[in-house]
Short mmCIF file of all heavy atoms in Angstrom, two decimals:
data_model
loop_
_atom_site.label_atom_id
_atom_site.label_comp_id
_atom_site.label_asym_id
_atom_site.label_seq_id
_atom_site.Cartn_x
_atom_site.Cartn_y
_atom_site.Cartn_z
N GLU N 1 -0.51 5.06 -10.41
CA GLU N 1 0.71 5.45 -9.74
C GLU N 1 1.90 4.66 -10.30
O GLU N 1 2.98 5.22 -10.51
CB GLU N 1 0.59 5.22 -8.24
CG GLU N 1 1.81 5.68 -7.46
CD GLU N 1 1.76 5.18 -6.03
OE1 GLU N 1 0.66 5.17 -5.43
OE2 GLU N 1 2.81 4.79 -5.52
N GLU N 2 1.69 3.39 -10.52
CA GLU N 2 2.78 2.58 -11.09
C GLU N 2 3.11 3.02 -12.51
O GLU N 2 4.28 3.00 -12.90
CB GLU N 2 2.40 1.09 -11.04
CG GLU N 2 2.36 0.56 -9.62
CD GLU N 2 1.88 -0.88 -9.51
OE1 GLU N 2 1.56 -1.49 -10.54
OE2 GLU N 2 1.82 -1.38 -8.37
N LYS N 3 2.10 3.43 -13.27
CA LYS N 3 2.35 3.92 -14.63
C LYS N 3 3.16 5.22 -14.57
O LYS N 3 4.09 5.41 -15.36
CB LYS N 3 1.03 4.15 -15.37
CG LYS N 3 1.22 4.58 -16.81
CD LYS N 3 -0.08 4.83 -17.51
CE LYS N 3 0.10 5.20 -18.98
NZ LYS N 3 1.14 6.17 -19.28
N LEU N 4 2.82 6.07 -13.63
CA LEU N 4 3.56 7.33 -13.46
C LEU N 4 5.03 7.03 -13.16
O LEU N 4 5.93 7.66 -13.72
CB LEU N 4 2.94 8.14 -12.31
CG LEU N 4 3.63 9.45 -11.95
CD1 LEU N 4 3.45 10.47 -13.07
CD2 LEU N 4 3.08 10.00 -10.64
N GLN N 5 5.26 6.05 -12.30
CA GLN N 5 6.63 5.67 -11.97
C GLN N 5 7.35 5.09 -13.19
O GLN N 5 8.52 5.42 -13.44
CB GLN N 5 6.64 4.66 -10.82
CG GLN N 5 6.16 5.26 -9.51
CD GLN N 5 6.11 4.23 -8.40
OE1 GLN N 5 6.98 3.36 -8.32
NE2 GLN N 5 5.11 4.32 -7.55
N ALA N 6 6.66 4.24 -13.92
CA ALA N 6 7.27 3.64 -15.11
C ALA N 6 7.59 4.72 -16.14
O ALA N 6 8.68 4.72 -16.74
CB ALA N 6 6.33 2.59 -15.70
N ASP N 7 6.65 5.63 -16.35
CA ASP N 7 6.85 6.71 -17.33
C ASP N 7 8.06 7.58 -16.97
O ASP N 7 8.71 8.15 -17.84
CB ASP N 7 5.60 7.60 -17.42
CG ASP N 7 4.44 6.87 -18.09
OD1 ASP N 7 4.66 5.80 -18.68
OD2 ASP N 7 3.31 7.39 -18.01
N ASN N 8 8.34 7.67 -15.67
CA ASN N 8 9.46 8.50 -15.21
C ASN N 8 10.71 7.68 -14.89
O ASN N 8 11.66 8.20 -14.30
CB ASN N 8 9.03 9.30 -13.97
CG ASN N 8 8.16 10.46 -14.33
OD1 ASN N 8 8.66 11.51 -14.75
ND2 ASN N 8 6.85 10.31 -14.23
N GLU N 9 10.68 6.39 -15.28
CA GLU N 9 11.82 5.48 -15.06
C GLU N 9 12.28 5.51 -13.60
O GLU N 9 13.49 5.60 -13.31
CB GLU N 9 12.96 5.84 -16.02
CG GLU N 9 12.56 5.69 -17.48
CD GLU N 9 13.63 6.17 -18.44
OE1 GLU N 9 14.44 7.02 -18.07
OE2 GLU N 9 13.62 5.67 -19.58
N TYR N 10 11.31 5.43 -12.71
CA TYR N 10 11.62 5.43 -11.28
C TYR N 10 12.39 4.16 -10.92
O TYR N 10 11.93 3.05 -11.19
CB TYR N 10 10.32 5.52 -10.48
CG TYR N 10 10.51 5.62 -8.99
CD1 TYR N 10 11.24 6.67 -8.43
CD2 TYR N 10 9.95 4.67 -8.14
CE1 TYR N 10 11.41 6.76 -7.06
CE2 TYR N 10 10.11 4.76 -6.77
CZ TYR N 10 10.85 5.81 -6.24
OH TYR N 10 11.01 5.90 -4.88
N PRO N 11 13.58 4.29 -10.34
CA PRO N 11 14.44 3.11 -10.12
C PRO N 11 13.91 2.10 -9.10
O PRO N 11 14.34 0.95 -9.13
CB PRO N 11 15.77 3.73 -9.66
CG PRO N 11 15.42 5.08 -9.15
CD PRO N 11 14.24 5.54 -9.95
N LEU N 12 13.01 2.52 -8.22
CA LEU N 12 12.50 1.59 -7.21
C LEU N 12 11.10 1.07 -7.54
O LEU N 12 10.36 0.61 -6.66
CB LEU N 12 12.49 2.27 -5.83
CG LEU N 12 13.84 2.72 -5.30
CD1 LEU N 12 13.69 3.44 -3.97
CD2 LEU N 12 14.78 1.53 -5.15
N LEU N 13 10.76 1.13 -8.82
CA LEU N 13 9.42 0.70 -9.24
C LEU N 13 9.11 -0.74 -8.83
O LEU N 13 8.03 -1.02 -8.30
CB LEU N 13 9.24 0.87 -10.76
CG LEU N 13 7.94 0.32 -11.35
CD1 LEU N 13 6.72 0.96 -10.70
CD2 LEU N 13 7.91 0.53 -12.85
N ASP N 14 10.02 -1.65 -9.07
CA ASP N 14 9.75 -3.06 -8.74
C ASP N 14 9.49 -3.24 -7.24
O ASP N 14 8.55 -3.95 -6.85
CB ASP N 14 10.90 -3.96 -9.19
CG ASP N 14 10.95 -4.11 -10.70
OD1 ASP N 14 9.93 -3.81 -11.36
OD2 ASP N 14 12.00 -4.52 -11.22
N ALA N 15 10.29 -2.62 -6.41
CA ALA N 15 10.09 -2.72 -4.96
C ALA N 15 8.77 -2.08 -4.56
O ALA N 15 8.07 -2.57 -3.67
CB ALA N 15 11.25 -2.05 -4.22
N HIS N 16 8.43 -1.00 -5.24
CA HIS N 16 7.17 -0.30 -4.94
C HIS N 16 5.98 -1.18 -5.33
O HIS N 16 4.98 -1.25 -4.60
CB HIS N 16 7.15 1.03 -5.69
CG HIS N 16 6.27 2.06 -5.06
ND1 HIS N 16 6.74 3.28 -4.63
CD2 HIS N 16 4.95 2.05 -4.80
CE1 HIS N 16 5.73 3.97 -4.12
NE2 HIS N 16 4.62 3.26 -4.23
N LYS N 17 6.12 -1.88 -6.45
CA LYS N 17 5.05 -2.79 -6.87
C LYS N 17 4.84 -3.90 -5.84
O LYS N 17 3.71 -4.32 -5.60
CB LYS N 17 5.38 -3.41 -8.23
CG LYS N 17 5.10 -2.50 -9.41
CD LYS N 17 5.40 -3.25 -10.71
CE LYS N 17 5.00 -2.46 -11.93
NZ LYS N 17 5.32 -3.17 -13.18
N VAL N 18 5.92 -4.37 -5.24
CA VAL N 18 5.82 -5.40 -4.21
C VAL N 18 5.02 -4.86 -3.02
O VAL N 18 4.17 -5.57 -2.44
CB VAL N 18 7.23 -5.87 -3.76
CG1 VAL N 18 7.15 -6.76 -2.53
CG2 VAL N 18 7.92 -6.60 -4.90
N GLN N 19 5.26 -3.60 -2.68
CA GLN N 19 4.50 -2.97 -1.59
C GLN N 19 3.01 -2.93 -1.91
O GLN N 19 2.17 -3.27 -1.08
CB GLN N 19 5.01 -1.53 -1.38
CG GLN N 19 6.40 -1.45 -0.77
CD GLN N 19 6.37 -1.83 0.69
OE1 GLN N 19 5.52 -1.38 1.43
NE2 GLN N 19 7.28 -2.70 1.10
N HIS N 20 2.69 -2.51 -3.13
CA HIS N 20 1.28 -2.43 -3.54
C HIS N 20 0.65 -3.83 -3.53
O HIS N 20 -0.49 -3.99 -3.09
CB HIS N 20 1.16 -1.82 -4.94
CG HIS N 20 1.45 -0.35 -4.99
ND1 HIS N 20 1.57 0.34 -6.17
CD2 HIS N 20 1.65 0.56 -4.00
CE1 HIS N 20 1.83 1.61 -5.91
NE2 HIS N 20 1.88 1.76 -4.60
N ALA N 21 1.39 -4.82 -4.00
CA ALA N 21 0.85 -6.18 -4.05
C ALA N 21 0.56 -6.70 -2.64
O ALA N 21 -0.45 -7.39 -2.42
CB ALA N 21 1.83 -7.11 -4.77
N SER N 22 1.41 -6.36 -1.69
CA SER N 22 1.17 -6.82 -0.31
C SER N 22 -0.08 -6.15 0.26
O SER N 22 -0.82 -6.76 1.03
CB SER N 22 2.39 -6.55 0.57
OG SER N 22 2.50 -5.18 0.87
N PHE N 23 -0.33 -4.93 -0.16
CA PHE N 23 -1.54 -4.23 0.29
C PHE N 23 -2.79 -4.90 -0.29
O PHE N 23 -3.76 -5.14 0.44
CB PHE N 23 -1.48 -2.76 -0.13
CG PHE N 23 -2.67 -1.95 0.31
CD1 PHE N 23 -2.82 -1.57 1.63
CD2 PHE N 23 -3.65 -1.58 -0.60
CE1 PHE N 23 -3.92 -0.84 2.05
CE2 PHE N 23 -4.75 -0.84 -0.19
CZ PHE N 23 -4.88 -0.47 1.13
N VAL N 24 -2.75 -5.22 -1.57
CA VAL N 24 -3.88 -5.89 -2.21
C VAL N 24 -4.15 -7.23 -1.52
O VAL N 24 -5.30 -7.60 -1.25
CB VAL N 24 -3.62 -6.08 -3.72
CG1 VAL N 24 -4.67 -6.98 -4.35
CG2 VAL N 24 -3.57 -4.73 -4.43
N LYS N 25 -3.08 -7.95 -1.21
CA LYS N 25 -3.22 -9.24 -0.52
C LYS N 25 -3.88 -9.04 0.85
O LYS N 25 -4.77 -9.81 1.23
CB LYS N 25 -1.82 -9.87 -0.36
CG LYS N 25 -1.83 -11.24 0.26
CD LYS N 25 -0.42 -11.85 0.21
CE LYS N 25 -0.38 -13.23 0.82
NZ LYS N 25 -0.02 -13.23 2.23
N ALA N 26 -3.44 -8.02 1.58
CA ALA N 26 -4.02 -7.74 2.90
C ALA N 26 -5.50 -7.40 2.79
O ALA N 26 -6.30 -7.85 3.62
CB ALA N 26 -3.25 -6.60 3.57
N VAL N 27 -5.87 -6.63 1.78
CA VAL N 27 -7.29 -6.27 1.59
C VAL N 27 -8.11 -7.53 1.29
O VAL N 27 -9.19 -7.72 1.86
CB VAL N 27 -7.45 -5.23 0.46
CG1 VAL N 27 -8.92 -5.05 0.09
CG2 VAL N 27 -6.85 -3.90 0.87
N ASN N 28 -7.58 -8.40 0.45
CA ASN N 28 -8.30 -9.63 0.12
C ASN N 28 -8.45 -10.53 1.34
O ASN N 28 -9.50 -11.15 1.54
CB ASN N 28 -7.59 -10.37 -1.02
CG ASN N 28 -7.81 -9.68 -2.35
OD1 ASN N 28 -8.85 -9.08 -2.59
ND2 ASN N 28 -6.82 -9.75 -3.22
N GLU N 29 -7.41 -10.59 2.16
CA GLU N 29 -7.49 -11.40 3.39
C GLU N 29 -8.53 -10.83 4.35
O GLU N 29 -9.26 -11.58 5.00
CB GLU N 29 -6.11 -11.47 4.06
CG GLU N 29 -5.14 -12.35 3.29
CD GLU N 29 -3.71 -12.30 3.83
OE1 GLU N 29 -3.43 -11.50 4.74
OE2 GLU N 29 -2.87 -13.05 3.29
N LEU N 30 -8.59 -9.51 4.42
CA LEU N 30 -9.59 -8.88 5.29
C LEU N 30 -11.01 -9.13 4.78
O LEU N 30 -11.93 -9.33 5.56
CB LEU N 30 -9.33 -7.38 5.41
CG LEU N 30 -8.13 -7.02 6.29
CD1 LEU N 30 -7.74 -5.57 6.10
CD2 LEU N 30 -8.46 -7.29 7.75
N LYS N 31 -11.15 -9.12 3.47
CA LYS N 31 -12.46 -9.41 2.88
C LYS N 31 -12.89 -10.83 3.25
O LYS N 31 -14.03 -11.07 3.66
CB LYS N 31 -12.44 -9.24 1.36
CG LYS N 31 -13.78 -9.46 0.71
CD LYS N 31 -13.71 -9.41 -0.80
CE LYS N 31 -15.05 -9.68 -1.44
NZ LYS N 31 -15.68 -10.93 -1.05
N ASP N 32 -11.95 -11.77 3.13
CA ASP N 32 -12.25 -13.16 3.50
C ASP N 32 -12.62 -13.25 4.97
O ASP N 32 -13.56 -13.96 5.36
CB ASP N 32 -11.04 -14.07 3.21
CG ASP N 32 -10.80 -14.22 1.71
OD1 ASP N 32 -11.71 -13.90 0.93
OD2 ASP N 32 -9.68 -14.65 1.34
N MET N 33 -11.86 -12.53 5.80
CA MET N 33 -12.12 -12.54 7.25
C MET N 33 -13.51 -11.99 7.54
O MET N 33 -14.26 -12.55 8.35
CB MET N 33 -11.05 -11.68 7.95
CG MET N 33 -11.12 -11.68 9.45
SD MET N 33 -9.77 -10.63 10.11
CE MET N 33 -10.02 -10.87 11.86
N LEU N 34 -13.88 -10.92 6.86
CA LEU N 34 -15.20 -10.31 7.04
C LEU N 34 -16.30 -11.27 6.61
O LEU N 34 -17.32 -11.42 7.30
CB LEU N 34 -15.29 -9.01 6.23
CG LEU N 34 -16.47 -8.10 6.52
CD1 LEU N 34 -16.49 -7.66 7.98
CD2 LEU N 34 -16.42 -6.88 5.60
N ASP N 35 -16.09 -11.96 5.50
CA ASP N 35 -17.08 -12.92 5.01
C ASP N 35 -17.23 -14.08 5.99
O ASP N 35 -18.35 -14.52 6.28
CB ASP N 35 -16.67 -13.46 3.64
CG ASP N 35 -16.79 -12.41 2.54
OD1 ASP N 35 -17.48 -11.40 2.77
OD2 ASP N 35 -16.18 -12.61 1.47
N GLU N 36 -16.10 -14.57 6.50
CA GLU N 36 -16.14 -15.72 7.42
C GLU N 36 -16.80 -15.37 8.74
O GLU N 36 -17.51 -16.19 9.32
CB GLU N 36 -14.71 -16.22 7.68
CG GLU N 36 -14.09 -16.93 6.49
CD GLU N 36 -12.60 -17.13 6.65
OE1 GLU N 36 -12.07 -16.93 7.77
OE2 GLU N 36 -11.95 -17.48 5.64
N GLU N 37 -16.59 -14.15 9.20
CA GLU N 37 -17.14 -13.76 10.51
C GLU N 37 -18.52 -13.14 10.39
O GLU N 37 -19.12 -12.78 11.40
CB GLU N 37 -16.17 -12.79 11.20
CG GLU N 37 -14.83 -13.45 11.51
CD GLU N 37 -13.88 -12.53 12.27
OE1 GLU N 37 -14.32 -11.44 12.68
OE2 GLU N 37 -12.72 -12.91 12.44
N GLU N 38 -19.01 -13.01 9.17
CA GLU N 38 -20.33 -12.44 8.93
C GLU N 38 -20.52 -11.09 9.61
O GLU N 38 -21.53 -10.83 10.25
CB GLU N 38 -21.41 -13.43 9.37
CG GLU N 38 -21.37 -14.73 8.58
CD GLU N 38 -22.42 -15.73 9.04
OE1 GLU N 38 -23.12 -15.44 10.01
OE2 GLU N 38 -22.52 -16.78 8.40
N GLY N 39 -19.51 -10.25 9.50
CA GLY N 39 -19.60 -8.91 10.08
C GLY N 39 -18.30 -8.51 10.72
O GLY N 39 -17.41 -9.33 10.90
N PRO N 40 -18.18 -7.23 11.05
CA PRO N 40 -16.92 -6.73 11.62
C PRO N 40 -16.76 -7.04 13.11
O PRO N 40 -17.40 -6.43 13.96
CB PRO N 40 -17.02 -5.21 11.38
CG PRO N 40 -18.48 -4.93 11.33
CD PRO N 40 -19.15 -6.17 10.80
N SER N 41 -15.91 -7.99 13.41
CA SER N 41 -15.60 -8.33 14.80
C SER N 41 -14.53 -7.37 15.32
O SER N 41 -13.95 -6.59 14.56
CB SER N 41 -15.06 -9.76 14.89
OG SER N 41 -13.83 -9.81 14.19
N GLU N 42 -14.24 -7.47 16.59
CA GLU N 42 -13.19 -6.64 17.19
C GLU N 42 -11.83 -6.99 16.55
O GLU N 42 -11.02 -6.10 16.29
CB GLU N 42 -13.14 -6.88 18.70
CG GLU N 42 -12.37 -5.82 19.45
CD GLU N 42 -12.53 -5.93 20.95
OE1 GLU N 42 -13.67 -6.06 21.42
OE2 GLU N 42 -11.48 -5.90 21.64
N ALA N 43 -11.62 -8.27 16.29
CA ALA N 43 -10.36 -8.70 15.66
C ALA N 43 -10.25 -8.13 14.25
O ALA N 43 -9.16 -7.74 13.81
CB ALA N 43 -10.30 -10.23 15.62
N PHE N 44 -11.39 -8.06 13.56
CA PHE N 44 -11.39 -7.51 12.21
C PHE N 44 -11.01 -6.03 12.23
O PHE N 44 -10.18 -5.58 11.44
CB PHE N 44 -12.76 -7.69 11.55
CG PHE N 44 -12.87 -7.05 10.20
CD1 PHE N 44 -12.35 -7.67 9.07
CD2 PHE N 44 -13.47 -5.80 10.06
CE1 PHE N 44 -12.41 -7.07 7.82
CE2 PHE N 44 -13.55 -5.19 8.81
CZ PHE N 44 -13.01 -5.82 7.69
N VAL N 45 -11.61 -5.30 13.15
CA VAL N 45 -11.32 -3.87 13.25
C VAL N 45 -9.83 -3.64 13.56
O VAL N 45 -9.19 -2.77 12.98
CB VAL N 45 -12.22 -3.20 14.33
CG1 VAL N 45 -11.81 -1.76 14.57
CG2 VAL N 45 -13.68 -3.27 13.90
N GLU N 46 -9.30 -4.45 14.45
CA GLU N 46 -7.87 -4.35 14.77
C GLU N 46 -7.01 -4.67 13.56
O GLU N 46 -5.99 -4.03 13.31
CB GLU N 46 -7.52 -5.29 15.94
CG GLU N 46 -7.85 -4.72 17.29
CD GLU N 46 -7.17 -3.37 17.56
OE1 GLU N 46 -5.96 -3.24 17.36
OE2 GLU N 46 -7.90 -2.44 17.96
N ALA N 47 -7.42 -5.66 12.79
CA ALA N 47 -6.66 -6.05 11.59
C ALA N 47 -6.71 -4.94 10.54
O ALA N 47 -5.72 -4.68 9.86
CB ALA N 47 -7.22 -7.35 11.02
N VAL N 48 -7.85 -4.27 10.42
CA VAL N 48 -7.95 -3.14 9.48
C VAL N 48 -7.01 -2.03 9.91
O VAL N 48 -6.29 -1.45 9.09
CB VAL N 48 -9.41 -2.62 9.40
CG1 VAL N 48 -9.46 -1.28 8.67
CG2 VAL N 48 -10.30 -3.64 8.72
N LYS N 49 -7.02 -1.75 11.20
CA LYS N 49 -6.16 -0.69 11.72
C LYS N 49 -4.69 -0.98 11.43
O LYS N 49 -3.95 -0.13 10.95
CB LYS N 49 -6.38 -0.54 13.22
CG LYS N 49 -5.62 0.60 13.84
CD LYS N 49 -5.94 0.69 15.32
CE LYS N 49 -5.03 1.70 15.98
NZ LYS N 49 -5.13 1.67 17.44
N LYS N 50 -4.29 -2.22 11.69
CA LYS N 50 -2.88 -2.60 11.51
C LYS N 50 -2.50 -2.74 10.03
O LYS N 50 -1.47 -2.25 9.59
CB LYS N 50 -2.61 -3.92 12.23
CG LYS N 50 -1.18 -4.41 12.14
CD LYS N 50 -0.99 -5.64 13.02
CE LYS N 50 0.44 -6.14 12.98
NZ LYS N 50 0.79 -6.84 11.77
N ASN N 51 -3.35 -3.43 9.27
CA ASN N 51 -2.97 -3.79 7.89
C ASN N 51 -3.40 -2.78 6.84
O ASN N 51 -2.91 -2.83 5.72
CB ASN N 51 -3.55 -5.16 7.54
CG ASN N 51 -2.99 -6.26 8.43
OD1 ASN N 51 -1.83 -6.24 8.78
ND2 ASN N 51 -3.83 -7.18 8.81
N ILE N 52 -4.30 -1.89 7.17
CA ILE N 52 -4.75 -0.90 6.19
C ILE N 52 -4.35 0.52 6.62
O ILE N 52 -3.61 1.20 5.91
CB ILE N 52 -6.29 -0.97 6.00
CG1 ILE N 52 -6.73 -2.37 5.58
CG2 ILE N 52 -6.73 0.10 4.98
CD1 ILE N 52 -6.19 -2.85 4.26
N VAL N 53 -4.81 0.94 7.76
CA VAL N 53 -4.57 2.32 8.19
C VAL N 53 -3.07 2.59 8.36
O VAL N 53 -2.52 3.54 7.78
CB VAL N 53 -5.34 2.64 9.49
CG1 VAL N 53 -5.02 4.04 9.97
CG2 VAL N 53 -6.84 2.47 9.28
N GLU N 54 -2.42 1.75 9.14
CA GLU N 54 -0.98 1.96 9.38
C GLU N 54 -0.18 1.77 8.10
O GLU N 54 0.79 2.48 7.85
CB GLU N 54 -0.49 1.03 10.49
CG GLU N 54 -1.05 1.42 11.85
CD GLU N 54 -0.64 0.48 12.96
OE1 GLU N 54 0.26 -0.35 12.76
OE2 GLU N 54 -1.23 0.58 14.05
N TRP N 55 -0.58 0.79 7.30
CA TRP N 55 0.11 0.56 6.04
C TRP N 55 0.01 1.80 5.15
O TRP N 55 1.01 2.25 4.58
CB TRP N 55 -0.47 -0.65 5.31
CG TRP N 55 0.32 -1.05 4.09
CD1 TRP N 55 1.31 -1.98 4.02
CD2 TRP N 55 0.22 -0.47 2.78
NE1 TRP N 55 1.82 -2.02 2.74
CE2 TRP N 55 1.17 -1.11 1.97
CE3 TRP N 55 -0.58 0.53 2.22
CZ2 TRP N 55 1.34 -0.80 0.62
CZ3 TRP N 55 -0.41 0.85 0.87
CH2 TRP N 55 0.53 0.19 0.09
N LEU N 56 -1.20 2.34 5.01
CA LEU N 56 -1.39 3.51 4.15
C LEU N 56 -0.57 4.71 4.64
O LEU N 56 0.08 5.39 3.83
CB LEU N 56 -2.87 3.89 4.08
CG LEU N 56 -3.72 3.10 3.09
CD1 LEU N 56 -5.19 3.43 3.28
CD2 LEU N 56 -3.29 3.40 1.65
N LEU N 57 -0.62 4.95 5.93
CA LEU N 57 0.14 6.08 6.47
C LEU N 57 1.62 5.93 6.17
O LEU N 57 2.27 6.87 5.69
CB LEU N 57 -0.09 6.21 7.98
CG LEU N 57 -1.46 6.74 8.40
CD1 LEU N 57 -1.63 6.64 9.91
CD2 LEU N 57 -1.63 8.18 7.93
N ASN N 58 2.15 4.74 6.44
CA ASN N 58 3.57 4.50 6.17
C ASN N 58 3.88 4.57 4.68
O ASN N 58 4.86 5.20 4.27
CB ASN N 58 3.99 3.13 6.71
CG ASN N 58 5.43 2.81 6.35
OD1 ASN N 58 6.35 3.45 6.83
ND2 ASN N 58 5.63 1.84 5.48
N HIS N 59 3.02 3.96 3.88
CA HIS N 59 3.30 3.91 2.44
C HIS N 59 3.29 5.31 1.82
O HIS N 59 4.19 5.67 1.07
CB HIS N 59 2.28 3.03 1.73
CG HIS N 59 2.57 2.85 0.28
ND1 HIS N 59 3.50 1.95 -0.19
CD2 HIS N 59 2.10 3.50 -0.81
CE1 HIS N 59 3.58 2.05 -1.50
NE2 HIS N 59 2.73 2.99 -1.91
N ILE N 60 2.30 6.09 2.16
CA ILE N 60 2.20 7.43 1.59
C ILE N 60 3.35 8.32 2.09
O ILE N 60 3.99 9.02 1.30
CB ILE N 60 0.84 8.07 1.92
CG1 ILE N 60 -0.27 7.31 1.17
CG2 ILE N 60 0.81 9.55 1.56
CD1 ILE N 60 -1.68 7.63 1.65
N CYS N 61 3.60 8.25 3.41
CA CYS N 61 4.62 9.13 4.00
C CYS N 61 6.05 8.75 3.61
O CYS N 61 6.94 9.60 3.62
CB CYS N 61 4.50 9.13 5.52
SG CYS N 61 3.01 9.96 6.10
N VAL N 62 6.28 7.49 3.29
CA VAL N 62 7.64 7.04 2.95
C VAL N 62 7.77 6.74 1.45
O VAL N 62 8.49 7.43 0.73
CB VAL N 62 8.04 5.80 3.79
CG1 VAL N 62 9.43 5.33 3.38
CG2 VAL N 62 7.99 6.13 5.27
N TRP N 63 7.05 5.73 1.00
CA TRP N 63 7.23 5.25 -0.38
C TRP N 63 6.75 6.26 -1.43
O TRP N 63 7.47 6.59 -2.37
CB TRP N 63 6.52 3.91 -0.57
CG TRP N 63 7.21 2.80 0.16
CD1 TRP N 63 7.10 2.49 1.49
CD2 TRP N 63 8.15 1.87 -0.38
NE1 TRP N 63 7.90 1.42 1.79
CE2 TRP N 63 8.55 1.03 0.67
CE3 TRP N 63 8.67 1.67 -1.66
CZ2 TRP N 63 9.47 0.00 0.48
CZ3 TRP N 63 9.58 0.64 -1.84
CH2 TRP N 63 9.97 -0.18 -0.78
N ASP N 64 5.52 6.73 -1.26
CA ASP N 64 4.97 7.64 -2.26
C ASP N 64 5.68 9.00 -2.22
O ASP N 64 5.85 9.65 -3.25
CB ASP N 64 3.45 7.81 -2.06
CG ASP N 64 2.69 6.53 -2.40
OD1 ASP N 64 3.26 5.63 -3.03
OD2 ASP N 64 1.52 6.45 -2.00
N LYS N 65 6.08 9.39 -1.04
CA LYS N 65 6.80 10.66 -0.90
C LYS N 65 8.14 10.60 -1.65
O LYS N 65 8.56 11.58 -2.27
CB LYS N 65 7.03 10.95 0.59
CG LYS N 65 7.42 12.37 0.88
CD LYS N 65 7.41 12.60 2.38
CE LYS N 65 7.88 14.02 2.68
NZ LYS N 65 7.92 14.25 4.14
N GLN N 66 8.79 9.44 -1.61
CA GLN N 66 10.05 9.27 -2.34
C GLN N 66 9.83 9.39 -3.85
O GLN N 66 10.66 9.95 -4.56
CB GLN N 66 10.68 7.90 -2.04
CG GLN N 66 11.27 7.79 -0.65
CD GLN N 66 11.77 6.38 -0.34
OE1 GLN N 66 11.41 5.41 -1.01
NE2 GLN N 66 12.59 6.27 0.68
N VAL N 67 8.71 8.87 -4.31
CA VAL N 67 8.39 8.98 -5.74
C VAL N 67 8.21 10.45 -6.11
O VAL N 67 8.75 10.93 -7.11
CB VAL N 67 7.11 8.19 -6.08
CG1 VAL N 67 6.70 8.44 -7.52
CG2 VAL N 67 7.31 6.70 -5.84
N ALA N 68 7.44 11.15 -5.31
CA ALA N 68 7.18 12.56 -5.58
C ALA N 68 8.49 13.35 -5.61
O ALA N 68 8.72 14.19 -6.50
CB ALA N 68 6.24 13.14 -4.53
N GLN N 69 9.36 13.06 -4.67
CA GLN N 69 10.65 13.76 -4.61
C GLN N 69 11.49 13.46 -5.85
O GLN N 69 12.11 14.35 -6.43
CB GLN N 69 11.40 13.35 -3.34
CG GLN N 69 12.66 14.15 -3.07
CD GLN N 69 12.35 15.61 -2.75
OE1 GLN N 69 11.33 15.92 -2.15
NE2 GLN N 69 13.22 16.51 -3.16
N PHE N 70 11.49 12.18 -6.26
CA PHE N 70 12.27 11.79 -7.44
C PHE N 70 11.78 12.52 -8.68
O PHE N 70 12.59 13.07 -9.45
CB PHE N 70 12.15 10.26 -7.66
CG PHE N 70 12.82 9.78 -8.90
CD1 PHE N 70 14.19 9.54 -8.93
CD2 PHE N 70 12.08 9.55 -10.06
CE1 PHE N 70 14.81 9.11 -10.09
CE2 PHE N 70 12.70 9.10 -11.23
CZ PHE N 70 14.07 8.88 -11.23
N ILE N 71 10.49 12.54 -8.88
CA ILE N 71 9.92 13.19 -10.07
C ILE N 71 10.14 14.69 -10.02
O ILE N 71 10.47 15.33 -11.04
CB ILE N 71 8.43 12.83 -10.22
CG1 ILE N 71 8.29 11.33 -10.52
CG2 ILE N 71 7.76 13.66 -11.30
CD1 ILE N 71 6.87 10.81 -10.50
N LYS N 72 10.03 15.25 -8.85
CA LYS N 72 10.24 16.69 -8.69
C LYS N 72 11.68 17.08 -9.04
O LYS N 72 11.92 18.10 -9.68
CB LYS N 72 9.95 17.07 -7.22
CG LYS N 72 9.93 18.55 -6.95
CD LYS N 72 9.55 18.78 -5.49
CE LYS N 72 9.70 20.23 -5.12
NZ LYS N 72 9.43 20.44 -3.69
N GLU N 73 12.63 16.23 -8.66
CA GLU N 73 14.04 16.53 -8.91
C GLU N 73 14.44 16.25 -10.37
O GLU N 73 15.44 16.74 -10.85
CB GLU N 73 14.94 15.72 -7.98
CG GLU N 73 14.86 16.18 -6.53
CD GLU N 73 15.62 15.27 -5.58
OE1 GLU N 73 16.26 14.30 -6.03
OE2 GLU N 73 15.57 15.55 -4.37
N LYS N 74 13.66 15.43 -11.04
CA LYS N 74 14.00 15.00 -12.41
C LYS N 74 13.87 16.14 -13.41
O LYS N 74 13.07 16.97 -13.40
CB LYS N 74 13.08 13.83 -12.80
CG LYS N 74 13.51 13.15 -14.06
CD LYS N 74 12.67 11.92 -14.30
CE LYS N 74 13.03 11.39 -15.68
NZ LYS N 74 12.16 10.31 -16.07
FE1 FE2 Z 1 2.54 3.71 -3.81
#
């Protein structure tokens, strides 16, 4: 996705990369949490919902949609 943005000279690429990096960080933190708790606790499930599910919905509906619109208009 980042390559697609770069290839199309998307002006918000750097900000978009920051969004992706924060997602990767959240996934790594959840992995650590899962390892430390030796299984999915209630807190872990809540953290997945907040940091993964909600993030993905927002990111796709807002950030990725803007990319699609930019490329479509180009
Ligand atoms: Fe994205």
